[in-house]
Amino acid sequence: MAFDPQNKIIIITAPSGAGKTSITHYLLEKYPQLAFSISAATRQARGNEKDGVDYYFLSAESFQEKIQHQQFVEWEMVYEGKYYGTLKSELERIWNNHQVPVLDIDVKGAIHVQQQYPDSTLSLFIEPPSVDELKKRLQSRGTETEESLAARVNKASYEISFKHHFHRIVINDHLPRAREEAARIIEDFLEL
Ligand code: 5GP
């Protein structure tokens, strides 16, 4: 029988720099049943990010227009002046393809999606081993200015305080271990 995603949703949330992107990529490669939910965002593309692959990069005007037309499942101003959101059309696209969307989104967005789809959502919170470690990781990524680094570190401490809102907490003390733990949780949810 063909795989029936039953309109399930997987949310992977964490403070930025906790390693959620590498865990998300690992899961997406391992399970063809999953598909990355491409968010809309108004920030600039970084490095080799591509429109329609990493994000749908939108102007602030076009993002606002989609808010007005209720085209988002959730949206947030994640950083000062920068909007990010999950489009309803993106979830539909993935479900129509008989796959389960994986949302790599911030903590507030994750809580909103979970409230809207309480019976079909699995949420994973990826916790950094410590705020100091997280700061080191963000610094080594080399994509942050002093100011944006400080903003991300502050936001991280705040976000960690919401970890108990999520179904499962995976501590990313060692990436290969954390990936495997996440994989077991996904297999359970997908009934593999
Ligand atoms: P970045 O700018 O590093 O790509 O992402 C910044 C933060 O925005 C990350 O925590 C990321 O998970 C979050 N994010 C990405 N897409 C969405 C979205 O659609 N909605 C929300 N609420 N957050 C998002």
Side-chain angles (χ1 to χ4, degrees):
M1 202 175 86
F3 172 70
D4 177 6
Q6 298 162 315
N7 292 5
K8 287 181 174 180
I9 296 177
I10 294 171
I11 304 172
I12 307 206
T13 191
S16 135
K20 84 175 158 340
T21 305
S22 39
I23 292 175
T24 304
H25 284 162
Y26 176 76
L27 297 172
L28 288 165
E29 267 182 28
K30 193 170 164 95
Y31 303 107
Q33 297 89 340
L34 306 180
F36 180 64
S37 163
I38 304 165
S39 293
T42 64
R43 75 153 166 76
Q44 294 290 315
R46 290 190 198 120
N48 48 19
E49 285 181 338
K50 286 193 178 61
D51 183 39
V53 176
D54 301 281
Y55 283 104
Y56 299 113
F57 292 105
L58 301 183
S59 66
E61 294 70 32
S62 135
F63 199 101
Q64 291 289 351
E65 203 179 285
K66 290 187 189 305
I67 295 175
Q68 271 155 24
H69 290 98
Q70 277 130 32
Q71 293 178 18
F72 286 105
V73 178
E74 62 77 36
W75 61 270
E76 294 291 331
M77 194 202 280
V78 176
Y79 294 106
E80 200 55 45
K82 303 293 174 213
Y83 293 92
Y84 294 75
T86 306
L87 290 161
K88 292 178 184 168
S89 59
E90 181 63 7
L91 300 186
E92 295 293 341
R93 177 184 76 78
I94 294 171
W95 286 329
N96 287 339
N97 213 18
H98 305 286
Q99 288 176 297
V100 176
V102 176
L103 281 58
D104 168 342
I105 63 177
D106 87 330
V107 166
K108 274 200 209 156
I111 291 172
H112 286 150
V113 175
Q114 207 167 248
Q115 281 167 346
Q116 289 180 64
Y117 300 94
D119 302 325
S120 48
T121 299
L122 167 75
S123 58
L124 262 68
F125 183 88
I126 311 296
E127 186 175 4
S130 71
V131 172
D132 263 5
E133 178 60 34
L134 182 114
K135 192 171 174 185
K136 277 191 215 141
R137 289 182 193 175
L138 283 170
Q139 269 164 338
S140 69
R141 192 160 85 175
T143 53
E144 307 304 322
T145 61
E146 269 304 303
E147 208 182 11
S148 73
L149 177 73
R152 281 174 192 255
V153 170
N154 280 340
K155 186 165 187 276
S157 310
Y158 175 70
E159 288 184 326
I160 293 169
S161 70
F162 288 93
K163 66 181 179 184
H164 295 296
H165 283 77
F166 303 103
H167 296 118
R168 303 294 295 266
I169 301 170
V170 174
I171 300 178
N172 186 11
D173 45 0
H174 180 59
L175 188 58
R177 193 208 60 75
R179 279 178 186 157
E180 288 315 313
E181 185 181 346
R184 296 292 86 75
I185 296 171
I186 299 302
E187 285 178 9
D188 251 21
F189 182 66
L190 297 180
E191 300 171 53
L192 297 178

